[in-house]
Amino acid sequence: MNLGTNAEYICISEDGTIEIKPDNLTWEEAATIPFGANTALHFLREGNIRSGQKVLIYGASGSIGTAAVQLARYFGRKSQLFAAPGM
């Protein structure tokens, strides 16, 4: 994973992931949005899960977990979910 920077400006490739910040969000709110999805995507790819396989998503109620559920479904994977209070 290669996500972070503390710089005011950063150069990315033309096909890099970038979006326009919605006007109704602060910079702080907008900065949190890609974290869960990028992290979930990284670990789904790292696990080399194939279409049709089952995936256990432990902690499916946080930003990473909810993104993992959506991504797993998008890629044709069957998800078993687990979430508990205080996770």
Side-chain angles (χ1 to χ4, degrees):
M1 274 172 68
N2 188 9
L3 300 175
T5 181
N6 291 320
E8 187 173 347
Y9 298 98
I10 185 172
C11 293
I12 62 169
S13 65
E14 286 184 20
D15 60 346
T17 304
I18 188 165
E19 290 292 330
I20 303 296
K21 181 187 79 65
D23 291 333
N24 63 337
L25 294 178
T26 66
W27 285 105
E28 291 79 9
E29 292 168 332
T32 64
I33 292 172
F35 174 77
N38 282 330
T39 304
L41 182 59
H42 169 78
F43 286 108
L44 285 172
R45 287 178 175 163
E46 186 82 11
N48 200 27
I49 308 299
R50 301 284 181 220
S51 182
Q53 288 182 318
K54 293 182 182 177
V55 180
L56 172 63
I57 300 174
Y58 188 84
S61 60
S63 65
I64 299 169
T66 54
V69 170
Q70 294 172 50
L71 288 168
R73 184 177 180 117
Y74 175 79
F75 290 119
R77 297 163 186 149
K78 298 176 182 172
S79 302
Q80 296 291 323
L81 314 175
F82 180 81
M87 285 188 70

Coordinates of all heavy atoms in Angstrom, one line a residue:
M1 N 0.8 -1.2 0.0 CA 0.0 0.0 0.0 C 0.9 1.2 0.0 O 1.9 1.3 0.7 CB -0.9 0.0 1.2 CG -2.2 -0.8 1.0 SD -3.2 -1.0 2.5 CE -3.7 0.6 2.9
N2 N 0.5 2.2 -0.7 CA 1.2 3.4 -0.8 C 0.2 4.6 -0.9 O -0.2 5.0 -1.9 CB 2.1 3.4 -2.1 CG 3.1 4.6 -2.2 OD1 3.2 5.3 -1.2 ND2 3.7 4.7 -3.3
L3 N -0.2 5.0 0.3 CA -1.3 6.0 0.3 C -0.9 7.4 0.9 O -1.4 8.4 0.5 CB -2.4 5.5 1.2 CG -3.1 4.2 0.8 CD1 -4.1 3.8 1.8 CD2 -3.7 4.4 -0.6
G4 N 0.0 7.4 1.9 CA 0.1 8.6 2.7 C 1.1 9.6 2.2 O 2.0 9.4 1.5
T5 N 0.8 10.9 2.6 CA 1.7 12.0 2.4 C 1.5 13.1 3.4 O 0.3 13.2 3.8 CB 1.6 12.5 0.9 OG1 2.6 13.6 0.8 CG2 0.3 13.0 0.6
N6 N 2.5 13.8 3.8 CA 2.3 14.9 4.6 C 2.6 16.2 3.8 O 2.7 17.3 4.4 CB 3.3 14.8 5.8 CG 2.9 13.7 6.8 OD1 1.7 13.5 7.0 ND2 3.8 13.0 7.3
A7 N 2.7 16.1 2.5 CA 3.0 17.2 1.7 C 1.8 18.0 1.3 O 0.7 17.4 1.4 CB 3.7 16.7 0.4
E8 N 2.0 19.2 1.0 CA 0.8 20.1 0.6 C 0.4 19.7 -0.8 O -0.8 19.7 -1.2 CB 1.2 21.5 0.7 CG 0.0 22.5 0.4 CD 0.4 23.9 0.7 OE1 1.4 24.2 1.3 OE2 -0.4 24.8 0.3
Y9 N 1.4 19.3 -1.6 CA 1.1 18.9 -3.0 C 1.8 17.5 -3.2 O 2.8 17.2 -2.6 CB 1.7 19.9 -4.0 CG 1.1 21.3 -3.9 CD1 1.8 22.3 -3.1 CD2 -0.1 21.6 -4.4 CE1 1.2 23.5 -3.0 CE2 -0.7 22.8 -4.3 CZ 0.0 23.8 -3.6 OH -0.6 25.0 -3.5
I10 N 1.2 16.8 -4.1 CA 1.7 15.5 -4.5 C 1.5 15.2 -6.0 O 0.5 15.6 -6.5 CB 1.1 14.3 -3.6 CG1 1.7 13.0 -3.9 CG2 -0.4 14.3 -3.9 CD1 1.2 11.9 -3.0
C11 N 2.5 14.6 -6.6 CA 2.3 14.2 -8.0 C 1.9 12.7 -8.1 O 2.4 11.9 -7.4 CB 3.7 14.3 -8.7 SG 4.3 16.0 -8.9
I12 N 0.9 12.5 -8.9 CA 0.4 11.1 -9.1 C 0.3 10.9 -10.6 O 0.3 11.8 -11.4 CB -1.0 10.9 -8.5 CG1 -2.1 11.8 -9.1 CG2 -1.0 11.1 -7.0 CD1 -3.5 11.5 -8.7
S13 N 0.3 9.6 -11.0 CA 0.2 9.2 -12.4 C -1.2 9.6 -13.0 O -2.1 9.8 -12.2 CB 0.5 7.7 -12.6 OG -0.5 7.0 -12.0
E14 N -1.3 9.7 -14.3 CA -2.5 10.0 -14.9 C -3.6 9.1 -14.6 O -4.8 9.5 -14.5 CB -2.3 10.1 -16.4 CG -1.6 11.2 -16.9 CD -1.5 11.3 -18.5 OE1 -2.3 10.6 -19.1 OE2 -0.6 11.9 -19.0
D15 N -3.3 7.8 -14.4 CA -4.4 6.8 -14.1 C -4.5 6.6 -12.6 O -5.1 5.7 -12.2 CB -4.1 5.5 -14.8 CG -2.8 4.9 -14.4 OD1 -2.0 5.6 -13.8 OD2 -2.6 3.7 -14.8
G16 N -3.9 7.5 -11.8 CA -4.1 7.4 -10.3 C -5.5 7.7 -9.9 O -6.3 8.3 -10.6
T17 N -5.8 7.3 -8.7 CA -7.1 7.6 -8.1 C -7.2 9.0 -7.5 O -6.5 9.3 -6.6 CB -7.4 6.6 -7.0 OG1 -7.3 5.3 -7.5 CG2 -8.8 6.7 -6.4
I18 N -8.1 9.8 -8.1 CA -8.3 11.1 -7.7 C -9.7 11.6 -8.0 O -10.3 11.2 -9.0 CB -7.2 12.1 -8.3 CG1 -7.3 13.5 -7.6 CG2 -7.4 12.2 -9.8 CD1 -6.2 14.4 -7.9
E19 N -10.3 12.3 -7.1 CA -11.6 12.8 -7.3 C -11.7 14.3 -6.8 O -10.9 14.7 -6.0 CB -12.6 12.0 -6.4 CG -12.9 10.6 -7.0 CD -13.6 10.6 -8.3 OE1 -14.4 11.5 -8.6 OE2 -13.4 9.6 -9.0
I20 N -12.7 15.0 -7.2 CA -12.9 16.3 -6.7 C -13.7 16.3 -5.4 O -14.6 15.5 -5.2 CB -13.8 17.1 -7.7 CG1 -13.2 17.1 -9.1 CG2 -14.1 18.5 -7.2 CD1 -11.8 17.9 -9.2
K21 N -13.2 17.0 -4.4 CA -13.8 17.1 -3.1 C -15.2 17.7 -3.2 O -15.4 18.8 -3.7 CB -13.0 17.9 -2.1 CG -13.6 17.9 -0.7 CD -12.8 18.8 0.2 CE -13.1 20.3 0.0 NZ -14.5 20.7 0.4
P22 N -16.3 17.0 -2.7 CA -17.6 17.6 -2.7 C -17.6 18.9 -1.8 O -16.9 19.0 -0.8 CB -18.5 16.6 -2.0 CG -17.7 15.3 -2.2 CD -16.3 15.7 -2.1
D23 N -18.3 19.9 -2.3 CA -18.4 21.2 -1.6 C -18.9 21.1 -0.2 O -18.6 21.9 0.7 CB -19.2 22.2 -2.4 CG -18.5 22.6 -3.7 OD1 -17.2 22.6 -3.7 OD2 -19.2 23.0 -4.6
N24 N -19.8 20.1 0.1 CA -20.5 20.0 1.4 C -19.6 19.3 2.4 O -20.1 19.1 3.5 CB -21.8 19.4 1.2 CG -21.8 18.0 0.7 OD1 -20.8 17.6 0.1 ND2 -22.8 17.2 1.0
L25 N -18.4 18.9 2.1 CA -17.5 18.2 3.1 C -16.3 19.1 3.4 O -15.8 19.8 2.5 CB -17.0 16.9 2.5 CG -18.0 15.8 2.2 CD1 -17.2 14.6 1.6 CD2 -18.7 15.4 3.5
T26 N -15.9 19.0 4.7 CA -14.6 19.7 5.0 C -13.5 18.9 4.5 O -13.7 17.7 4.1 CB -14.5 19.9 6.5 OG1 -14.4 18.5 7.1 CG2 -15.7 20.6 7.2
W27 N -12.3 19.4 4.5 CA -11.1 18.7 4.1 C -10.9 17.5 5.0 O -10.5 16.4 4.5 CB -9.9 19.6 4.0 CG -9.9 20.5 2.8 CD1 -10.2 21.8 2.8 CD2 -9.7 20.2 1.5 NE1 -10.1 22.3 1.6 CE2 -9.8 21.3 0.7 CE3 -9.3 19.0 0.8 CZ2 -9.6 21.3 -0.7 CZ3 -9.2 19.0 -0.6 CH2 -9.3 20.2 -1.3
E28 N -11.1 17.7 6.3 CA -11.0 16.6 7.2 C -11.9 15.5 7.0 O -11.5 14.3 7.1 CB -11.1 17.1 8.7 CG -10.0 18.1 9.1 CD -10.2 19.5 8.6 OE1 -11.2 19.8 8.0 OE2 -9.2 20.3 8.8
E29 N -13.2 15.8 6.7 CA -14.2 14.7 6.4 C -13.8 14.0 5.1 O -13.9 12.8 5.0 CB -15.6 15.3 6.3 CG -16.1 15.9 7.6 CD -17.4 16.7 7.4 OE1 -17.5 17.3 6.4 OE2 -18.1 16.8 8.4
A30 N -13.4 14.8 4.1 CA -13.1 14.2 2.8 C -11.9 13.3 2.9 O -11.8 12.3 2.2 CB -12.9 15.3 1.7
A31 N -10.9 13.6 3.7 CA -9.7 12.8 3.8 C -9.9 11.4 4.3 O -9.2 10.5 4.1 CB -8.7 13.6 4.7
T32 N -11.0 11.2 5.1 CA -11.3 9.9 5.7 C -12.0 8.9 4.7 O -11.9 7.7 4.9 CB -12.1 10.0 6.9 OG1 -13.4 10.6 6.6 CG2 -11.5 10.9 8.0
I33 N -12.6 9.4 3.7 CA -13.4 8.6 2.8 C -12.7 7.5 2.1 O -13.1 6.3 2.2 CB -14.2 9.5 1.8 CG1 -15.2 10.3 2.5 CG2 -14.8 8.6 0.7 CD1 -15.9 11.3 1.7
P34 N -11.5 7.7 1.5 CA -10.9 6.6 0.8 C -10.1 5.6 1.7 O -9.8 4.5 1.2 CB -9.9 7.3 -0.1 CG -9.6 8.6 0.6 CD -10.8 9.0 1.3
F35 N -9.9 5.9 2.9 CA -9.1 5.0 3.8 C -9.7 3.6 3.8 O -9.0 2.6 3.6 CB -9.0 5.6 5.2 CG -8.3 4.6 6.1 CD1 -7.0 4.5 6.1 CD2 -9.1 3.9 7.0 CE1 -6.3 3.6 6.9 CE2 -8.4 3.0 7.9 CZ -7.0 2.9 7.8
G36 N -11.0 3.5 4.2 CA -11.6 2.1 4.3 C -11.6 1.3 3.0 O -11.2 0.2 3.0
A37 N -12.0 2.0 2.0 CA -12.0 1.3 0.7 C -10.7 0.9 0.2 O -10.5 -0.3 -0.3 CB -12.8 2.1 -0.3
N38 N -9.7 1.8 0.2 CA -8.3 1.4 -0.2 C -7.7 0.3 0.6 O -7.1 -0.6 0.1 CB -7.4 2.7 -0.2 CG -7.7 3.6 -1.4 OD1 -8.1 3.2 -2.4 ND2 -7.5 4.9 -1.1
T39 N -7.9 0.4 1.9 CA -7.4 -0.7 2.8 C -8.0 -2.0 2.5 O -7.4 -3.1 2.4 CB -7.5 -0.3 4.3 OG1 -6.9 1.0 4.5 CG2 -6.9 -1.3 5.2
A40 N -9.4 -2.0 2.4 CA -10.1 -3.3 2.1 C -9.7 -3.9 0.8 O -9.4 -5.1 0.7 CB -11.6 -3.0 2.1
L41 N -9.6 -3.0 -0.2 CA -9.2 -3.5 -1.6 C -7.8 -4.1 -1.5 O -7.5 -5.2 -2.1 CB -9.2 -2.4 -2.6 CG -8.9 -2.7 -4.0 CD1 -9.8 -3.8 -4.6 CD2 -8.9 -1.5 -4.9
H42 N -6.9 -3.5 -0.8 CA -5.5 -4.0 -0.7 C -5.5 -5.4 -0.1 O -4.9 -6.3 -0.6 CB -4.7 -3.1 0.2 CG -3.3 -3.6 0.6 ND1 -2.3 -3.7 -0.3 CD2 -2.9 -4.2 1.7 CE1 -1.2 -4.2 0.3 NE2 -1.6 -4.6 1.5
F43 N -6.2 -5.6 1.0 CA -6.2 -6.9 1.7 C -7.0 -8.0 0.9 O -6.7 -9.1 1.0 CB -6.6 -6.8 3.1 CG -5.5 -6.1 3.9 CD1 -5.6 -4.9 4.4 CD2 -4.3 -6.8 4.2 CE1 -4.6 -4.3 5.1 CE2 -3.3 -6.3 4.9 CZ -3.4 -5.0 5.4
L44 N -8.1 -7.6 0.2 CA -8.8 -8.6 -0.6 C -7.8 -9.0 -1.7 O -7.8 -10.2 -2.1 CB -10.1 -8.0 -1.2 CG -11.2 -7.8 -0.2 CD1 -12.4 -7.1 -0.8 CD2 -11.7 -9.2 0.3
R45 N -7.1 -8.1 -2.3 CA -6.1 -8.5 -3.4 C -5.0 -9.3 -2.8 O -4.6 -10.3 -3.4 CB -5.6 -7.3 -4.1 CG -6.6 -6.6 -5.0 CD -6.0 -5.4 -5.6 NE -6.9 -4.8 -6.6 CZ -6.8 -3.6 -7.1 NH1 -5.8 -2.8 -6.6 NH2 -7.6 -3.1 -7.9
E46 N -4.5 -8.9 -1.6 CA -3.4 -9.6 -1.0 C -3.8 -11.1 -0.6 O -3.0 -12.0 -0.7 CB -3.0 -8.9 0.3 CG -1.8 -9.4 1.0 CD -0.5 -8.9 0.5 OE1 -0.5 -8.0 -0.4 OE2 0.5 -9.4 0.9
G47 N -5.1 -11.3 -0.3 CA -5.6 -12.6 0.0 C -5.8 -13.5 -1.2 O -6.0 -14.7 -1.1
N48 N -5.7 -12.9 -2.4 CA -5.8 -13.6 -3.7 C -7.1 -14.4 -3.7 O -7.2 -15.6 -4.1 CB -4.6 -14.5 -3.9 CG -4.5 -14.9 -5.4 OD1 -4.9 -14.2 -6.2 ND2 -3.9 -16.0 -5.6
I49 N -8.2 -13.8 -3.2 CA -9.5 -14.5 -3.2 C -10.1 -14.5 -4.6 O -10.0 -13.5 -5.3 CB -10.5 -13.7 -2.3 CG1 -9.9 -13.4 -0.9 CG2 -11.8 -14.4 -2.1 CD1 -9.5 -14.7 -0.1
R50 N -10.6 -15.7 -5.0 CA -11.2 -15.9 -6.3 C -12.7 -15.8 -6.3 O -13.3 -16.0 -5.2 CB -10.8 -17.2 -6.8 CG -9.3 -17.5 -6.9 CD -8.8 -16.7 -8.1 NE -7.3 -16.9 -8.2 CZ -6.5 -16.0 -8.6 NH1 -6.9 -14.8 -8.8 NH2 -5.2 -16.3 -8.6
S51 N -13.3 -15.5 -7.4 CA -14.7 -15.4 -7.5 C -15.4 -16.7 -7.1 O -14.9 -17.7 -7.4 CB -15.1 -15.0 -8.9 OG -16.5 -14.9 -9.1
G52 N -16.4 -16.5 -6.3 CA -17.2 -17.7 -5.8 C -16.7 -18.2 -4.5 O -17.4 -19.0 -3.8
Q53 N -15.5 -17.8 -4.0 CA -15.0 -18.3 -2.7 C -15.7 -17.5 -1.6 O -16.2 -16.4 -1.9 CB -13.5 -18.0 -2.6 CG -12.6 -19.0 -3.4 CD -11.2 -18.7 -3.2 OE1 -10.7 -17.6 -3.2 NE2 -10.4 -19.8 -3.1
K54 N -15.7 -18.1 -0.4 CA -16.3 -17.4 0.7 C -15.2 -16.6 1.5 O -14.1 -17.0 1.6 CB -16.9 -18.4 1.7 CG -18.1 -19.1 1.0 CD -18.7 -20.1 2.0 CE -19.9 -20.8 1.3 NZ -20.5 -21.8 2.2
V55 N -15.6 -15.4 2.0 CA -14.7 -14.5 2.7 C -15.4 -14.2 4.0 O -16.5 -13.9 4.1 CB -14.5 -13.2 1.9 CG1 -13.6 -12.3 2.7 CG2 -14.0 -13.5 0.5
L56 N -14.6 -14.4 5.1 CA -15.1 -14.0 6.5 C -14.6 -12.6 6.7 O -13.3 -12.3 6.7 CB -14.5 -14.9 7.5 CG -14.8 -14.5 9.0 CD1 -16.3 -14.4 9.3 CD2 -14.0 -15.4 10.0
I57 N -15.5 -11.7 6.9 CA -15.1 -10.3 7.2 C -15.4 -10.0 8.6 O -16.6 -9.9 9.0 CB -15.9 -9.3 6.2 CG1 -15.5 -9.6 4.8 CG2 -15.5 -7.9 6.6 CD1 -16.3 -8.8 3.8
Y58 N -14.4 -10.0 9.4 CA -14.5 -9.8 10.9 C -14.4 -8.3 11.2 O -13.4 -7.7 10.9 CB -13.3 -10.6 11.5 CG -13.4 -10.6 13.0 CD1 -14.1 -11.6 13.7 CD2 -12.7 -9.7 13.8 CE1 -14.2 -11.7 15.0 CE2 -12.8 -9.8 15.2 CZ -13.5 -10.8 15.8 OH -13.6 -10.8 17.2
G59 N -15.4 -7.8 11.8 CA -15.5 -6.4 12.0 C -16.1 -5.6 10.8 O -15.6 -4.7 10.3
A60 N -17.2 -6.2 10.4 CA -17.9 -5.7 9.2 C -18.7 -4.4 9.3 O -19.4 -4.0 8.5 CB -18.8 -6.8 8.6
S61 N -18.5 -3.7 10.5 CA -19.3 -2.5 10.7 C -18.4 -1.2 10.6 O -19.0 -0.1 10.6 CB -20.0 -2.6 12.0 OG -19.0 -2.7 13.1
G62 N -17.1 -1.3 10.5 CA -16.3 -0.2 10.5 C -16.0 0.3 9.0 O -16.6 -0.3 8.1
S63 N -15.2 1.3 8.8 CA -15.0 1.8 7.5 C -14.3 0.7 6.6 O -14.7 0.6 5.4 CB -14.1 3.0 7.5 OG -12.8 2.7 8.0
I64 N -13.4 0.0 7.1 CA -12.7 -1.1 6.3 C -13.7 -2.2 6.1 O -13.8 -2.7 4.9 CB -11.4 -1.6 7.0 CG1 -10.4 -0.4 7.1 CG2 -10.8 -2.7 6.2 CD1 -9.2 -0.7 8.0
G65 N -14.4 -2.6 7.1 CA -15.3 -3.8 7.0 C -16.5 -3.5 6.0 O -16.8 -4.4 5.2
T66 N -17.1 -2.4 6.1 CA -18.2 -2.1 5.2 C -17.7 -2.0 3.8 O -18.4 -2.4 2.9 CB -19.0 -0.8 5.6 OG1 -18.1 0.3 5.7 CG2 -19.7 -1.0 7.0
A67 N -16.6 -1.4 3.6 CA -16.0 -1.4 2.2 C -15.7 -2.8 1.7 O -15.9 -3.1 0.6 CB -14.8 -0.5 2.2
A68 N -15.1 -3.6 2.6 CA -14.8 -5.0 2.2 C -16.0 -5.8 1.8 O -16.0 -6.6 0.9 CB -14.1 -5.7 3.4
V69 N -17.1 -5.6 2.5 CA -18.4 -6.3 2.2 C -18.8 -5.9 0.8 O -19.1 -6.7 -0.1 CB -19.5 -5.9 3.2 CG1 -20.8 -6.4 2.7 CG2 -19.1 -6.5 4.6
Q70 N -18.8 -4.6 0.5 CA -19.2 -4.1 -0.8 C -18.3 -4.6 -1.9 O -18.7 -5.0 -3.0 CB -19.3 -2.6 -0.8 CG -20.4 -2.1 0.1 CD -20.3 -0.6 0.3 OE1 -20.3 0.2 -0.7 NE2 -20.3 -0.1 1.5
L71 N -17.0 -4.5 -1.7 CA -16.0 -4.9 -2.7 C -16.1 -6.4 -2.9 O -16.0 -6.9 -4.1 CB -14.6 -4.5 -2.3 CG -14.3 -3.0 -2.4 CD1 -13.0 -2.7 -1.6 CD2 -14.2 -2.6 -3.8
A72 N -16.2 -7.2 -1.9 CA -16.3 -8.7 -2.0 C -17.5 -9.0 -2.9 O -17.4 -9.9 -3.8 CB -16.4 -9.3 -0.7
R73 N -18.6 -8.4 -2.6 CA -19.8 -8.6 -3.4 C -19.6 -8.2 -4.9 O -20.0 -8.9 -5.8 CB -21.0 -7.9 -2.8 CG -22.3 -8.2 -3.5 CD -23.5 -7.5 -2.9 NE -24.7 -7.9 -3.6 CZ -25.7 -8.5 -3.1 NH1 -25.7 -9.0 -1.9 NH2 -26.7 -8.8 -3.9
Y74 N -19.0 -7.0 -5.1 CA -18.7 -6.6 -6.4 C -17.9 -7.5 -7.2 O -18.1 -7.8 -8.4 CB -18.0 -5.2 -6.3 CG -17.6 -4.7 -7.7 CD1 -18.5 -4.0 -8.5 CD2 -16.3 -4.8 -8.1 CE1 -18.1 -3.6 -9.8 CE2 -15.9 -4.3 -9.3 CZ -16.8 -3.7 -10.2 OH -16.4 -3.2 -11.4
F75 N -16.9 -8.1 -6.5 CA -16.0 -9.1 -7.2 C -16.5 -10.5 -7.2 O -15.8 -11.5 -7.6 CB -14.6 -9.1 -6.5 CG -13.9 -7.8 -6.8 CD1 -13.5 -7.0 -5.8 CD2 -13.5 -7.4 -8.1 CE1 -12.8 -5.8 -6.0 CE2 -12.8 -6.3 -8.4 CZ -12.4 -5.5 -7.3
G76 N -17.8 -10.7 -6.8 CA -18.4 -12.0 -6.9 C -18.1 -13.0 -5.8 O -18.1 -14.2 -6.0
R77 N -17.7 -12.5 -4.7 CA -17.3 -13.3 -3.5 C -18.4 -13.3 -2.5 O -19.1 -12.3 -2.3 CB -16.0 -12.8 -2.9 CG -14.9 -12.9 -3.9 CD -13.7 -12.0 -3.5 NE -12.8 -12.0 -4.6 CZ -12.0 -11.0 -4.9 NH1 -12.0 -10.0 -4.2 NH2 -11.1 -11.1 -5.9
K78 N -18.6 -14.5 -1.9 CA -19.7 -14.6 -0.9 C -19.1 -14.3 0.5 O -18.0 -14.8 0.8 CB -20.2 -16.1 -0.9 CG -20.8 -16.4 -2.2 CD -21.3 -17.9 -2.3 CE -21.9 -18.1 -3.6 NZ -22.2 -19.5 -3.8
S79 N -19.7 -13.4 1.2 CA -19.2 -12.9 2.5 C -19.9 -13.5 3.6 O -21.1 -13.6 3.6 CB -19.3 -11.4 2.5 OG -18.6 -10.8 1.4
Q80 N -19.2 -13.9 4.7 CA -19.7 -14.2 6.0 C -19.3 -13.0 6.9 O -18.1 -12.7 6.9 CB -19.2 -15.5 6.5 CG -19.5 -16.7 5.7 CD -21.0 -17.0 5.8 OE1 -21.6 -16.8 6.9 NE2 -21.6 -17.4 4.7
L81 N -20.2 -12.4 7.5 CA -19.9 -11.1 8.3 C -20.0 -11.4 9.8 O -20.8 -12.2 10.2 CB -20.9 -10.1 7.9 CG -21.2 -9.9 6.4 CD1 -22.3 -8.9 6.2 CD2 -20.0 -9.5 5.6
F82 N -19.1 -10.7 10.5 CA -19.1 -10.7 11.9 C -18.9 -9.3 12.4 O -17.9 -8.7 12.1 CB -18.1 -11.7 12.5 CG -18.1 -11.7 14.0 CD1 -19.0 -12.5 14.6 CD2 -17.2 -11.0 14.7 CE1 -19.0 -12.5 16.0 CE2 -17.2 -11.0 16.1 CZ -18.1 -11.8 16.7
A83 N -19.7 -8.8 13.3 CA -19.5 -7.5 14.0 C -20.2 -7.6 15.3 O -21.2 -8.3 15.5 CB -20.2 -6.4 13.2
A84 N -19.5 -7.1 16.3 CA -20.0 -7.1 17.7 C -19.8 -5.7 18.3 O -19.0 -5.0 17.9 CB -19.3 -8.2 18.5
P85 N -20.7 -5.4 19.3 CA -20.5 -4.1 20.0 C -19.1 -4.0 20.6 O -18.5 -5.0 21.1 CB -21.5 -4.2 21.1 CG -22.5 -5.2 20.7 CD -21.7 -6.2 19.9
G86 N -18.5 -2.8 20.5 CA -17.2 -2.5 21.1 C -16.0 -3.0 20.2 O -14.9 -3.0 20.7
M87 N -16.3 -3.4 19.0 CA -15.2 -3.8 18.1 C -14.4 -2.6 17.6 O -14.9 -1.7 17.3 CB -15.7 -4.7 16.9 CG -16.1 -6.0 17.3 SD -16.5 -7.1 15.9 CE -14.9 -7.3 15.3

